[in-house]
Amino acid sequence: MRIEDYALIGDMHTAALVGRDGSVDWLCLPRFDSGACFAALLGGRPAGRWLLAPAGGGTCTGRRYRDGTLVLETTWDLPEGCVRVLDFMPPRGEAPDLVRIVEGVRGRVEMRTELLMRFEYGSVIPWVRHREGEMAVVAGPNAAWLQSPVELTHDSRLRGTTASFAVAAGDRAPFVLTWQQSWQGRPRRLEAGEELAATDRLWRLWLGRCGYRGRYGEAVRSSLLALKALTYAPTGGIVAAPTTSLPEQIGGPRNWDYRYSWLRDASFTLQALMGAGYAEEATAWRDWLLRAVAGDPADLRIMYTVDGSRHIAEWTADWLPGYEGSRPVRIGNAASGQFQLDVYGEVIDCLYQAKEAGLRPDEEAWDLQRALMEYLEGAWREPDNGLWEVRGPRRDYVHSKIFAWVAADRMVRSVERQGQEGPARRWRALREEIHRDVCAHGYDPDRNTFTQFYGSKGLDAALLLIPRLGFLPLDDPRVAGTVEAVCRELTEDGLVLRYRPEADDVDERQGGEGVFIACSFWLAHALALLGRRERSRRLFERLLSLRNDVGLLSEEYDVRTGRQTGNFPQAYSHVSVVNAARALAPRAGTSD
């Protein structure tokens, strides 16, 4: 199954991936970064899955999300009849639930389901029991129940649950899978039809608040649904993706765990949410940010768990072969301990933008900004690991230095425009000092472009953010020169790479990667800001064509094989859809 053959369902605590063959191949319970109970995505059938499809097998003939919802409809149109499966996760109540409803549309279709639960990423096979018309499994702290009017059978060979049944036109066969910690007992039973109505209502009401009215409304709404699904409702944190170890290159080792919240995403996500009319979600994201980064500024992390924890140990699940043999399978992310200078500027910018956008004020936000700035005043000259989390030597990355400038600039603006108290004169002088330093050491006058790091000949897709940040006026020739240099030296088939690992020996990791989808949207955004709107629009619409059949994007795209690669779906890609669509609107970013 290709990465783009999956669709996403979720309850804003966790998410599942459903394949075109009707198999749920990935689900972590009870939250995004918990152990997976279905890990076939990374280990095949033995690692756990839930198949529900026609007995003859095969991929579906069509699927879609019900209008304005995250309820997935998968249809098989066969010679003997037509059948539809509805997949969704209801709003979280007592416990997480996954509901699947089979509906007969035409004729009579033989169906089969196979439920193989394997806890802790496929390493734990539970004890399975069938009684009182339902399946129950338990293993250590995990327990689950499957209820259905369909007769369920225990398959001792598979160590799972199976059922064979037929549906005719008008028939409906529901299945409800419920998880709970084993010592808490069975949660209340749900009625599938009622939960479908509640789920429909939740998503429709939420999407109905979207304020975007431009020509790319379908793409923006689809991306907003993905972002909402990647939100951890109890705290407002947003995970970068619901998966781990989907490879940047099929068969390669660049496989990372993205089930965490990156500070870097904060300002761009805030802009996307605010620009689309979602002040409540933007406020929750801002508040998560404030809680997560509270503490010693010297101990700021680049990523946190969805509840704000900062210790994310990395280990490998050696028993899993990985997606299409892409090993290792990593759980956790060692990059969480890296020093990345840019995150200080990104947090300060996010809090500044939040106040500019009219979010309700937070008393502690300014104190936090000042503490971060005081640390940055003494640390901005230090080399760092860069935003791409290079596992190599620290360097003076130009993007990082520019965000140190952003931090000083936003602090000055906070005093001058927002009436905050602070040493604006000192910050103004620092802003000028950083600006001079970047222009002197991070710019290549022979090629008229900024570079990846001081003294480098390589480029970095993050330089495409310069037009947005105010570091230079849009009509400064160095801005257009940098954008054109990226187009000339850092693209494959017109789409943007993050950087070239071979340039200046910047990266110790082995293996290649595809073009980075978010960076390609950054190029479309930059072109729009520079007034090259037709070129921007062509690129933007080409990028939209890379989405799968239900509008989802992964982290990267392999132009040679025509496949999505990397973790899926990727929040950064979908944030970039929203922001680039707004940049292409003629004025205020709300209509075109």
Side-chain angles (χ1 to χ4, degrees):
M1 193 76 60
R2 290 187 170 209
I3 289 171
E4 58 265 38
D5 287 333
Y6 287 98
L8 177 78
I9 58 174
D11 65 355
M12 290 168 285
H13 289 69
T14 190
L17 295 186
V18 187
R20 291 177 59 86
D21 60 351
S23 180
V24 180
D25 285 350
W26 183 255
L27 175 62
C28 300
L29 291 172
R31 71 183 205 182
F32 292 106
D33 56 353
S34 300
C37 63
F38 300 135
L41 181 70
L42 302 177
R45 184 184 181 192
R49 68 167 187 173
W50 183 7
L51 177 70
L52 179 58
T59 59
C60 63
T61 53
R63 63 179 180 172
R64 68 182 187 101
Y65 288 117
R66 288 168 68 142
D67 289 343
T69 77
L70 210 68
V71 176
L72 180 68
E73 291 186 353
T74 305
T75 301
W76 285 264
D77 202 344
L78 307 168
E80 66 271 25
C82 181
V83 66
R84 179 168 56 229
V85 176
L86 307 181
D87 289 316
F88 61 96
M89 297 187 74
R92 183 73 64 96
E94 184 182 354
D97 302 282
L98 171 55
V99 180
R100 315 191 73 182
I101 301 174
V102 183
E103 294 183 335
V105 179
R106 174 181 55 81
R108 181 180 175 84
V109 180
E110 296 292 329
M111 299 291 294
R112 173 175 172 78
T113 190
E114 178 184 283
L115 176 64
L116 307 178
M117 297 204 80
R118 302 291 186 262
F119 296 113
E120 294 302 324
Y121 306 100
S123 65
V124 177
I125 301 175
W127 178 32
V128 183
R129 297 175 297 164
H130 287 80
R131 65 183 184 188
E132 298 178 2
E134 71 175 11
M135 173 213 77
V137 303
V138 65
N142 297 287
W145 297 262
L146 177 65
Q147 66 181 78
S148 175
V150 172
E151 183 177 351
L152 304 171
T153 302
H154 175 59
D155 189 316
S156 57
R157 180 180 60 87
L158 293 174
R159 294 205 234 179
T161 296
T162 62
S164 297
F165 58 102
V167 290
D171 288 347
R172 177 178 271 202
F175 296 81
V176 180
L177 179 67
T178 301
W179 179 93
Q180 182 63 287
Q181 292 170 319
S182 57
W183 61 86
Q184 291 188 315
R186 203 230 190 279
R188 69 178 182 87
R189 290 170 172 79
L190 302 183
E191 199 287 309
E194 293 178 0
E195 297 304 318
L196 175 61
T199 306
D200 253 351
R201 185 167 55 251
L202 178 147
W203 288 108
R204 290 181 195 275
L205 286 173
W206 185 82
L207 198 59
R209 291 165 42 206
C210 177
Y212 177 86
R213 298 293 181 265
R215 68 186 293 178
Y216 299 112
E218 178 275 326
V220 168
R221 288 189 292 273
S222 178
S223 289
L224 287 169
L225 277 174
L227 289 174
K228 183 65 170 175
L230 298 178
T231 301
Y232 185 62
T235 65
I238 300 174
V239 296
T243 56
T244 180
S245 298
L246 289 181
E248 296 174 6
Q249 179 188 48
I250 303 298
R254 292 176 180 245
N255 318 315
W256 316 109
D257 194 343
Y258 275 17
R259 297 172 298 158
Y260 307 104
S261 295
W262 267 253
L263 296 187
R264 179 171 300 108
D265 301 359
S267 59
F268 295 135
T269 303
L270 188 82
Q271 291 167 24
L273 292 171
M274 287 299 303
Y278 289 98
E280 182 179 333
E281 285 73 16
T283 300
W285 178 227
R286 189 273 313 269
D287 291 349
W288 173 87
L289 178 69
L290 285 170
R291 292 190 300 270
V293 305
D296 185 353
D299 194 34
L300 190 72
R301 298 301 175 108
I302 66 168
M303 72 183 82
Y304 295 81
T305 66
V306 289
D307 64 9
S309 299
R310 59 183 61 203
H311 297 293
I312 305 174
E314 181 177 299
W315 54 279
T316 59
D318 295 329
W319 60 90
L320 290 173
Y323 178 83
E324 295 191 13
S326 304
R327 303 184 73 177
V329 172
R330 291 182 172 90
I331 311 300
N333 199 313
S336 64
Q338 287 188 350
F339 174 60
Q340 295 182 18
L341 186 68
D342 62 302
V343 297
Y344 292 87
E346 283 149 354
V347 171
I348 289 172
D349 186 39
C350 180
L351 297 175
Y352 170 79
Q353 298 290 350
K355 190 165 183 181
E356 283 290 287
L359 295 192
R360 60 170 173 77
D362 185 283
E363 296 179 356
E364 298 176 0
W366 182 242
D367 291 338
L368 174 63
Q369 287 171 260
R370 290 197 61 166
L372 294 175
M373 192 65 221
E374 287 172 8
Y375 174 78
L376 195 58
E377 287 180 78
W380 75 268
R381 288 189 176 277
E382 294 182 21
D384 73 319
N385 296 103
L387 85 162
W388 302 126
E389 294 157 20
V390 172
R391 299 195 178 189
R394 293 181 178 180
R395 303 176 188 268
D396 291 304
Y397 285 98
V398 172
H399 168 268
S400 299
K401 303 302 187 190
I402 288 177
F403 261 97
W405 176 92
V406 167
D409 178 73
R410 301 321 187 246
M411 295 299 281
V412 171
R413 293 191 194 191
S414 295
V415 173
E416 294 177 345
R417 296 179 51 165
Q418 296 178 349
Q420 300 285 10
E421 296 282 340
R425 183 176 179 179
R426 189 175 83 218
W427 293 334
R428 204 176 291 116
L430 177 63
R431 181 176 64 180
E432 293 306 312
E433 181 184 3
I434 298 172
H435 197 279
R436 287 193 302 271
D437 194 73
V438 171
C439 292
H441 302 291
Y443 175 71
D444 182 345
D446 295 332
R447 292 151 66 211
N448 188 28
T449 182
F450 288 94
T451 60
Q452 186 174 27
F453 53 85
Y454 287 5
S456 168
K457 291 298 183 183
L459 297 178
D460 189 328
L463 301 172
L464 293 169
L465 299 175
I466 290 175
R468 293 199 231 176
L469 299 174
F471 182 76
L472 290 170
L474 287 174
D475 60 0
D476 189 299
R478 290 171 292 183
V479 176
T482 299
V483 172
E484 290 304 321
V486 169
C487 292
R488 186 174 60 248
E489 301 179 30
L490 204 58
T491 59
E492 286 190 3
D493 193 24
L495 304 180
V496 182
L497 296 162
R498 296 187 299 176
Y499 59 96
R500 293 193 181 276
E502 66 275 14
D504 303 301
D505 296 321
V506 71
D507 197 336
E508 295 177 351
R509 296 174 292 185
Q510 299 299 310
E513 63 178 15
V515 297
F516 205 77
I517 293 173
C519 295
S520 300
F521 279 110
W522 292 354
L523 175 56
H525 196 145
L527 290 170
L529 292 176
L530 291 173
R532 301 170 191 182
R533 301 182 64 79
E534 186 54 37
R535 187 175 166 190
S536 170
R537 193 178 303 282
R538 286 197 304 269
L539 175 57
F540 182 77
E541 292 178 356
R542 181 187 175 194
L543 290 166
L544 292 185
S545 75
L546 303 184
R547 298 179 302 158
N548 72 357
D549 57 323
V550 290
L552 296 176
L553 288 164
S554 67
E555 179 184 20
E556 298 185 7
Y557 184 77
D558 188 328
V559 296
R560 294 173 293 277
T561 61
R563 296 184 60 176
Q564 292 193 30
T565 57
N567 283 301
F568 173 89
Q570 179 83 357
Y572 220 9
S573 298
H574 287 285
V575 165
S576 299
V577 170
V578 178
N579 287 333
R582 294 181 58 241
L584 276 165
R587 287 187 176 82
T590 56
S591 65
D592 59 352

